[in-house]
């Protein structure tokens, strides 16, 4: 394991622990999560061609996208269900890591990276919900802004940076859009690549 | 002598690649349709109608599929065929003289007043302007009352 510094050997190692080859050990939950992430990236990019963020345009553009644009409904639903799947699989992945004691040294750093990724994915899920731009998402955005506002001093500024100024009847703002479509996925992607690299460095299981 | 076909692991995987590429090729046409769709571009709120309208004619569709015009003894009116429940396009059924919504079954009478189904409000009427040459300009952004005629 220690000799596998080469990138190719990293992806296709010469040796892997035989125990790690068992699917029942990991249930491939991390791999399924990453697959969902890739699906989300591709379908999300496609959605960006027709979705218009904004309090007044978000919901109506989504309705047009899902009901009028050819295959728009399918792409939207793929994005939605891949998102739902990913939230489920990352949580199960975390449970599995706890179950097999895989958070213990030498993997303690990768566990922390995983926790950060879980937070990112949940926040991506939440911002995606806001971008629907329905009345419910407006209520959700209002609650989030008010909770952040409780933080003394920083709160109101933080809410501005994370959510912009959502209206009570639509959570879709340009700020949320930028976080959801670019900033958060990029941070999540680089953390994931580090997460995978770290598995091998810690002598862990075989990736997908 | 023909080479015997052997289902080695390599042969199966190669065939799988062909399948993946073929499946990807099938997505090209839908993708092009999706990406080039102009259905969500901003449309003018003004719609023209230049054909002659007889008195007591039936509803006539204009260039915009959701805008309909009709003339009765009092004048010309224009209606937007968008269901007041959740915004589906309602269809006019000539034989029944009714507007039917395909989504949740709302029914409107000839004048666009709701008869049954979840919709409670009448189909919106919009402003019509009569030009000197007899053609009509319908302004879909300006709602008017049920009794307004031009």
């Amino acid at each position: 394991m220690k000799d596998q510094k080469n990138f190719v050997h990293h992806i296709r190692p010469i040796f892997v622990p035989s125990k790690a080859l068992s699917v029942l050990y990991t249930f491939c939950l991390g791999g399924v999560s990453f697959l969902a992430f890739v699906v989300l990236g591709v379908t999300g990019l496609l959605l960006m061609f027709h979705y218009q963020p904004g309090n007044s345009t978000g919901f109506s553009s989504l309705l047009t996208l899902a009901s009028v644009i050819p295959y728009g409904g399918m792409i939207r639903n793929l994005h939605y269900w891949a998102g739902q799947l990913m939230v489920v699989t990352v949580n199960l992945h975390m449970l599995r890591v706890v179950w097999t004691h895989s958070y213990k040294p030498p993997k303690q750093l990768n566990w922390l990276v995983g926790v950060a990724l879980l937070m990112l994915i949940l926040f991506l899920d939440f911002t995606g919900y806001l971008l629907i731009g329905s009345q419910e998402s407006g209520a959700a955005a209002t609650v989030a802004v008010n909770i952040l506002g409780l933080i003394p001093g920083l709160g109101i500024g933080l809410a501005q940076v994370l959510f912009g100024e959502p209206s009570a009847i639509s959570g879709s703002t340009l700020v949320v859009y930028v976080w959801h479509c670019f900033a958060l996925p990029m941070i999540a992607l680089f953390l994931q690549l580090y997460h995978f690299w770290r598995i091998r460095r810690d002598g862990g299981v075989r990736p997908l | 002598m023909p080479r015997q076909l052997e289902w080695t692991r390599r042969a199966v995987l190669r065939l799988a690649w062909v399948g993946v590429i073929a499946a990807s090729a099938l997505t090209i046409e839908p993708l092009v349709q999706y990406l080039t769709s102009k259905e969500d571009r901003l449309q003018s709120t003004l719609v023209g109608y230049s054909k002659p309208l007889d008195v007591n004619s039936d509803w006539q569709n204009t260039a915009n599929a959701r805008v309909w015009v009709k003339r009765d003894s009092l004048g010309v009116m224009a209606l937007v065929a968008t269901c007041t429940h959740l915004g589906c396009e309602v269809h006019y059924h000539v034989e029944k003289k009714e507007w039917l919504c395909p989504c949740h079954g709302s029914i409107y009478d000839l004048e666009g007043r709701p008869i049954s189904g979840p919709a409670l409000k009448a189909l919106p009427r919009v402003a019509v302007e009569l030009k000197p040459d007899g053609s009509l300009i319908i302004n879909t952004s300006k709602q008017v009352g049920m009794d307004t005629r031009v």
Side-chain angles (χ1 to χ4, degrees):
Chain A
M1 280 292 149
K2 286 202 177 70
D3 296 332
Q4 294 180 13
K5 295 276 167 64
N6 185 310
F7 182 74
V8 175
H9 283 167
H10 188 80
I11 300 292
R12 312 198 64 169
I14 300 163
F15 306 107
V16 284
S18 58
K19 243 172 67 180
L21 290 174
S22 162
V23 175
L24 292 181
Y25 187 73
T26 63
F27 297 97
C28 207
L29 287 165
V32 173
S33 304
F34 183 64
L35 180 67
F37 187 78
V38 171
V39 171
L40 284 164
V42 173
T43 54
L45 180 71
L46 290 174
L47 288 176
M48 285 172 79
F49 283 97
H50 286 295
Y51 178 77
Q52 294 162 352
N55 282 331
S56 56
T57 53
F59 189 63
S60 60
S61 71
L62 195 68
L63 277 189
T64 311
L65 189 147
S67 58
V68 181
I69 307 287
Y71 303 97
M74 190 179 88
I75 290 168
R76 196 222 154 169
N77 276 301
L78 274 173
H79 194 76
Y80 176 83
W81 287 109
Q84 301 288 337
L85 175 78
M86 192 171 182
V87 169
V88 171
T89 53
V90 290
N91 279 293
L92 289 177
H93 179 52
M94 194 182 207
L95 280 179
R96 193 280 298 174
V97 168
V98 173
W99 181 251
T100 58
H101 293 216
S102 301
Y103 54 88
K104 287 179 178 171
K107 296 184 186 168
Q108 70 275 52
L109 176 61
N110 219 12
W111 163 259
L112 290 181
V113 174
V115 172
L117 273 168
L118 177 72
M119 296 297 146
L120 274 174
I121 297 309
L122 291 181
F123 196 57
L124 269 165
D125 186 50
F126 183 66
T127 49
Y129 181 65
L130 297 189
L131 286 181
I132 295 171
S134 62
Q135 285 197 19
E136 287 158 313
S137 83
T142 308
V143 170
V145 167
N146 286 342
I147 290 177
L148 276 177
L150 293 176
I151 302 173
L154 288 172
I156 292 164
L158 197 61
Q160 284 265 323
V161 171
L162 289 179
F163 299 113
E165 280 172 21
S167 80
I169 54 162
S170 168
S172 175
T173 66
L174 193 60
V175 177
V176 174
Y177 182 69
V178 172
W179 279 111
H180 182 82
C181 299
F182 182 74
L184 292 173
M186 279 298 151
I187 301 169
L189 178 66
F190 282 108
L191 268 183
Q192 279 175 69
L193 295 180
Y194 180 68
H195 197 61
F196 306 153
W197 180 74
R198 200 70 236 173
I199 298 169
R200 186 76 80 236
R201 287 312 295 270
D202 295 337
V205 296
R206 185 172 182 252
L208 236 190
Chain B
M1 196 175 128
R3 247 177 59 192
Q4 204 182 348
L5 188 65
E6 268 192 84
W7 287 108
T8 56
R9 177 194 294 235
R10 181 164 298 189
V12 171
L13 286 177
R14 194 168 289 156
L15 196 65
W17 270 115
V18 174
V20 167
I21 291 166
S24 319
L26 288 177
T27 66
I28 292 174
E29 198 266 350
L31 263 182
V32 169
Q33 269 199 42
Y34 173 82
L35 291 175
T36 56
S37 173
K38 298 273 189 293
E39 305 258 10
D40 55 352
R41 71 179 161 195
L42 285 177
Q43 286 180 340
S44 167
T45 55
L46 299 180
V47 181
Y49 187 80
S50 52
K51 280 178 240 161
L53 263 181
D54 299 333
V55 177
N56 288 327
S57 67
D58 217 335
W59 286 104
Q60 301 296 318
N61 206 338
T62 65
N64 180 329
R66 290 208 181 191
V67 178
W68 297 69
V69 288
K70 176 174 153 60
R71 183 196 290 272
D72 62 9
S73 52
L74 298 168
V76 179
M77 63 197 118
L79 173 147
V80 178
T82 297
C83 187
T84 54
H85 173 227
L86 284 176
C88 292
E89 181 178 348
V90 293
H91 302 305
Y92 184 57
H93 284 239
V94 184
E95 67 285 358
K96 288 189 195 156
K97 305 265 180 226
E98 278 173 355
W99 298 89
L100 304 178
C101 179
C103 295
H104 307 97
S106 292
I107 303 174
Y108 304 84
D109 68 5
L110 179 67
E111 297 291 313
R113 286 178 294 248
I115 304 173
S116 77
L120 298 173
K121 283 193 287 184
L123 294 174
R125 297 289 177 86
V126 289
V128 184
E129 195 187 312
L130 199 61
K131 290 216 296 189
D133 64 352
S135 65
L136 306 171
I137 297 285
I138 300 127
N139 184 356
T140 55
S141 64
K142 197 169 153 199
Q143 279 212 26
V144 295
M146 293 283 282
D147 303 323
T148 309
R149 303 283 189 277
V150 171

